[in-house]
Amino acid sequence: MVTFGESSVMLAAETVSTGCGPLDRLLPAGGVRRGGLLEWLCPEWQSNGGAFGGAASGAVSLAFAVARRLAGAEGASGRAVVVVDRGARFHPPAVMPWFDGAEGPQLIVARPARDGDEIWAIDQALRCPGVAAVIAWPERVHPTAMRRWQLAARGGGAVGLLVRPAAARREPSWAEARVAVSSRPSPGCATRLLRLSLAGGPWAGEAMLSERSVEVELDLVHGRMRSGKAGGLRSLRQEAPACRAS
C-alpha cells in the first residue's frame, strides 16, 4: 500500500540494526528503518487485557529491546522512547534492564484515557524530532489513523512499534512489516524464547512469506539477547549479538 514516491523516501531513510542478525535479515530493510512503522502481532492477545492480556507472547519485551537499539544508535543521542499506555497496565520497572545506566535513553509514559486520545498521543509522539521510538498497543486502528501515524513517523524520524492482536493481520496496514511473535518453551522465568515470523507488509507477496522465521532469546534480567552459540551472552547496549535462526 505504498506508492513509488513513498518507496523512494523509505529507501533513503537510515536503517538501524536490531542487534540480531537473523532478525535484521527477516525485515525487508535489513533492520529497522527510521521514520516508519512496525507491527508485532500477538496470537495470545486477549481483548479484556490488551497487549498485557497476551504478554506471554513476548512482543512487548521485544518491542522494548528494539526501541533501546534505536535510541542508542549513532545520531540518536538524547532521543527518548515514548510508551503510549492505553489502559494503564504498563509497569516501567519491568523494562529497566534496557534503560538503566547513564547512557540509557529517557523513557516517557503517556496514559490516555480514551481511544481518540491514544490516536492523538501516538501521532504527536511520532512527529517529535526528540523521540527515537514510540511503543503502543492499540487494539483497533482505523486505516486513516494508521496512515496518519505513518506520515507522522516519516516527518519526525521516529519508529512506531505497535503491538497488535493477531486478528489485525486481516486489516489494511501502512506498516513497513508485520511480524508475528509467539512464545516458545523457555529455560526459566528470567528468559524469553520467541519465534518471529513475517506476517505481511505492503511489499509482501505470498512467496516471500513462506517459511521465513527466526528464534531469539531475551534475558529479561540483564537486558541481553542470548546468542545462538552455547553459553554466550552479549549486551544489547554494547554490541550486536547473534541469535538463533531456524
Side-chain angles (χ1 to χ4, degrees):
M1 297 178 65
V2 294
T3 68
F4 291 111
E6 289 167 346
S7 297
S8 64
V9 172
M10 292 171 66
L11 289 172
E14 175 193 0
T15 299
V16 178
S17 171
T18 63
C20 175
L23 177 54
D24 286 345
R25 292 190 291 272
L26 185 71
L27 296 172
V32 180
R33 248 194 299 251
R34 291 200 185 279
L37 306 176
L38 285 177
E39 289 184 279
W40 311 95
L41 305 185
C42 304
E44 292 93 346
W45 185 292
Q46 298 172 7
S47 60
N48 62 344
F52 291 91
S57 71
V60 173
S61 298
L62 180 64
F64 277 101
V66 173
R68 179 61 183 87
R69 294 290 302 188
L70 289 164
E74 184 178 356
S77 177
R79 292 190 180 186
V81 173
V82 176
V83 179
V84 181
D85 179 24
R86 174 79 166 93
R89 291 183 172 88
F90 171 58
H91 185 54
V95 300
M96 284 302 102
W98 280 281
F99 291 86
D100 63 354
E103 297 181 357
Q106 183 180 13
L107 181 65
I108 300 172
V109 180
R111 287 180 166 157
R114 297 174 296 182
D115 291 346
D117 295 336
E118 178 185 42
I119 292 171
W120 181 87
I122 294 171
D123 178 270
Q124 294 301 300
L126 289 170
R127 291 181 189 278
C128 179
V131 172
V134 179
I135 300 173
W137 27 87
E139 184 169 359
R140 293 174 295 274
V141 183
H142 192 276
T144 301
M146 184 73 76
R147 174 60 167 161
R148 283 175 53 191
W149 293 344
Q150 185 212 24
L151 294 174
R154 185 194 302 170
V159 175
L161 303 170
L162 308 177
V163 181
R164 308 284 318 282
R169 184 173 181 174
R170 298 190 293 268
E171 300 173 2
S173 175
W174 292 94
E176 184 173 332
R178 283 172 160 168
V179 178
V181 182
S182 57
S183 59
R184 307 277 287 174
S186 300
C189 61
T191 60
R192 181 67 57 79
L193 182 62
L194 308 176
R195 186 174 186 84
L196 314 178
S197 304
L198 278 180
W203 45 268
E206 289 300 319
M208 297 180 67
L209 297 179
S210 61
E211 301 300 324
R212 293 193 63 184
S213 62
V214 300
E215 286 187 2
V216 299
E217 189 170 2
L218 301 178
D219 182 335
L220 304 178
V221 175
H222 302 99
R224 299 175 179 179
M225 185 176 293
R226 191 176 302 277
S227 74
K229 297 179 180 179
L233 280 177
R234 301 178 182 177
S235 173
L236 280 168
R237 292 190 292 271
Q238 297 175 352
E239 55 185 295
C243 60
R244 285 202 297 268
S246 61

